[in-house]
Amino acid sequence: MGQLTALVEPGRLPVLARSRERLRGLLAGPETSRQRMAAVLLDDPALALQALHRANAVPHRHFRTEIATLEDAVHMLGERGLARLLEEVVEAERELEGNRLRAYRHALARGALAGALAADWAACGRDMFPAEVAAAALLHTLGEFVLLAVGDRRIGRYLQLVYLHHVLPHEADYVALSDSLGTLGYRLACRWALPEMVRESMRPHNAAHSRPLGAMLANQMARDACSGWRHPFSGRDLWLASELLELSPDVLTRRVNRVLALTRERLPVLAETALMPLPTPACAPAVWDLRAPYQAPFCLAPRADELARCRHRLECGGGEERLLTTLLYGLHRGLGLNRVAFFACAPDDRTLTPRLFVGSEFEPEFNQGGWRHRARTLLEGLLDAPGVVRVGCGGTVTLPDELAERLGVDAFLAMPLWRGGVVLGLIYADRRCVCCHLDAGIEARFAALVMRASEILSRSSGELS
């Protein structure tokens, strides 16, 4: 999707006619309020995106300060700038039709619901700038908005897998799109100079921080609510939100349902989805099941062309970050491994910190909660391993049952990554489906690719920071 990233501009995303008329009515009224206009933008991700993009393009801003909230964008553009924006935007109801229009409106409504949830949670957590988190949640699924707007035929299959068959989004885009929607959204957010909170909330490893985690979880919750709470990891998301906000499940349920009701009043299109109130754990324990197993409906197919591309790019060298990213994508797409991660090793105390994730973009519980305490201790014990280690079923290291349930797999591979005589960190990889288990062939190819990356890092260590 690299060509798409280069060609698409924010103006390609059509706005909702209702949002356009609401904002136009406010501008024509006797008294304009920044808060009320920002609230209209928060109900339409496409309109919010264009307002933020234009506001950050205004020259002579004070100290080049980034415009990070919709209210500040309204202030920066002013009434004249907003009126010009409304004249130049394209309406979805005129640009799109049929199923494409319906899917686009549903996607924008889910984004708006995510923004409303994030704003409520940030205020509940006494965040100093809840509007920043709300904007990040609103635009979190930017890649999905763009593919729907430009009419990419593959997006229909993706939506069917995610919202009808409840496949994990990052696995659905592997088979339906042959690329990552999360990565596409991040590239576009960087290219369009969207606020830092928007960009960084799209990077999985930032689930370790509470503010981007709130934006990530709000999107999970919006997706789960619009799918009738039938997604396999909804329980993990709910308990993680309960922990993040320090709210009991019953209190969290009341807050979520209040936001759902208010958002549905403002956006009747949500009634066309499977949106339903969140039940309490007592009423629906299956929805809140933290250990609910995920039965992957398919295996991720290894791709020889992707593996060859990875090897070629590794041989071309480059900076450490580029080599690491190349390695992880090669393991994920070339070998068909579901989740691949790099944990950086601190040289002083040899503790591990999550740094890069591929294949887990929509699993904040895995990216943040799954690597605390015992999991990290287990991984840190593998830093001196001479080669690849299989942890769990059929391996030399035991995987505790509690960790196996949290990770959702019975085994994974781990191997230290070296640069010269210094260990940089640990590479992790797993496969979800039992029928596509981690066999000896996959283990050998995994080890060979990680070893080659270590050799190239050692060879070019003088060029790397």
Side-chain angles (χ1 to χ4, degrees):
M1 296 186 192
Q3 185 179 9
L4 185 64
T5 307
L7 295 178
V8 177
E9 293 298 333
R12 286 290 302 275
L13 271 70
V15 307
L16 300 176
R18 186 168 180 268
S19 304
R20 190 182 189 185
E21 289 308 310
R22 285 173 62 196
L23 188 54
R24 184 174 281 157
L26 286 175
L27 288 172
E31 183 179 345
T32 56
S33 162
R34 271 195 282 168
Q35 291 83 0
R36 292 178 66 188
M37 286 191 280
V40 174
L41 298 181
L42 192 58
D43 281 344
D44 189 329
L47 191 56
L49 164 69
Q50 296 188 50
L52 281 169
H53 181 257
R54 291 192 181 210
N56 277 300
V58 173
H60 308 302
R61 299 195 309 271
H62 292 294
F63 308 112
R64 297 189 178 274
T65 302
E66 183 178 70
I67 303 300
T69 70
L70 296 174
E71 196 171 318
D72 287 343
V74 168
H75 178 66
M76 180 61 69
L77 293 174
E79 293 182 31
R80 185 174 298 176
L82 288 171
R84 189 180 305 115
L85 170 62
L86 292 180
E87 290 302 317
E88 296 174 0
V89 295
V90 177
E91 287 185 4
E93 288 79 359
R94 295 184 180 182
E95 184 80 3
L96 312 176
E97 59 183 19
N99 290 334
R100 187 174 156 202
L101 172 61
R102 188 178 302 107
Y104 184 73
R105 293 173 73 227
H106 288 178
L108 293 190
R110 286 191 298 269
L113 177 57
L117 286 166
D120 180 72
W121 295 353
C124 167
R126 296 181 178 84
D127 190 287
M128 292 183 65
F129 303 104
E132 288 186 7
V133 183
L138 182 74
L139 299 173
H140 190 71
T141 51
L142 179 59
E144 186 177 325
F145 302 153
V146 168
L147 289 195
L148 284 166
V150 301
D152 192 303
R153 294 182 179 181
R154 299 171 296 171
I155 192 65
R157 175 60 174 159
Y158 167 85
L159 295 173
Q160 184 182 46
L161 287 171
V162 173
Y163 292 100
L164 292 181
H165 301 292
H166 312 300
V167 174
L168 292 176
H170 42 284
E171 296 184 3
D173 63 29
Y174 187 99
V175 299
L177 305 173
S178 297
D179 209 334
S180 165
L181 276 181
T183 301
L184 171 63
Y186 177 70
R187 289 173 185 159
L188 288 169
C190 292
R191 186 173 185 273
W192 296 344
L194 294 181
E196 183 181 23
M197 179 59 69
V198 174
R199 302 191 306 267
E200 293 306 311
S201 294
M202 295 177 177
R203 308 186 76 186
H205 68 275
N206 283 325
H209 308 292
S210 61
R211 301 187 79 218
L213 176 60
M216 296 173 190
L217 280 174
N219 269 274
Q220 302 291 95
M221 206 75 72
R223 181 204 65 189
D224 295 342
C226 291
S227 301
W229 304 105
R230 292 193 296 272
H231 265 283
F233 285 176
S234 61
R236 300 185 185 196
D237 298 333
L238 288 165
W239 283 107
L240 190 54
S242 176
E243 176 185 310
L244 173 68
L245 300 172
E246 298 181 348
L247 298 177
S248 70
D250 287 346
V251 174
L252 177 64
T253 299
R254 288 197 295 272
R255 292 193 76 103
V256 167
N257 287 336
R258 183 175 62 83
V259 174
L260 292 184
L262 292 172
T263 309
R264 183 169 175 171
E265 284 181 14
R266 298 195 310 273
L267 300 173
V269 68
L270 283 172
E272 299 175 10
T273 70
L275 182 73
M276 61 178 290
L278 172 62
T280 62
C283 294
V287 170
W288 288 77
D289 190 354
L290 184 62
R291 305 286 192 264
Y294 173 65
Q295 298 296 329
F298 45 70
C299 305
L300 301 189
R303 293 186 50 176
D305 58 334
E306 291 284 356
L307 187 58
R309 186 177 295 114
C310 165
R311 287 172 173 157
H312 173 72
R313 288 177 176 173
L314 286 176
E315 296 299 332
C316 291
E320 180 182 307
E321 192 82 8
R322 181 180 183 276
L323 287 171
L324 286 170
T325 303
T326 299
L327 171 63
L328 295 194
Y329 273 98
L331 294 170
H332 175 59
R333 304 193 63 77
L335 298 186
L337 294 162
N338 285 82
R339 296 178 298 198
V340 188
F342 170 67
F343 298 90
C345 176
D348 48 355
D349 58 4
R350 290 172 65 84
T351 57
L352 290 175
T353 303
R355 181 167 157 192
L356 291 173
F357 290 90
V358 174
S360 64
E361 289 88 340
F362 296 89
E363 293 182 70
E365 197 273 342
F366 175 85
N367 298 334
Q368 189 264 354
W371 299 108
R372 295 179 181 175
H373 315 310
R374 293 183 68 188
R376 195 170 67 178
T377 302
L378 174 63
L379 291 177
E380 287 168 356
L382 304 177
L383 283 170
D384 292 320
V388 61
V389 177
R390 183 188 181 95
V391 179
C393 183
T396 56
V397 177
T398 302
L399 178 62
D401 291 341
E402 180 186 355
L403 286 182
E405 289 177 347
R406 277 193 169 271
L407 295 175
V409 294
D410 61 6
F412 65 82
L413 302 178
M415 184 171 174
L417 183 71
W418 292 81
R419 183 175 64 199
V422 178
V423 62
L424 290 179
L426 201 73
I427 302 293
Y428 166 101
D430 67 27
R431 269 186 165 173
R432 294 185 193 279
C433 191
V434 175
C435 63
C436 295
H437 62 282
L438 297 165
D439 57 29
I442 287 291
E443 187 172 326
R445 289 193 286 275
F446 169 86
L449 206 57
V450 176
M451 185 179 298
R452 186 56 185 152
S454 289
E455 292 170 356
I456 292 169
L457 281 166
S458 300
R459 183 183 68 197
S460 55
S461 61
E463 305 168 16
L464 300 178
S465 60

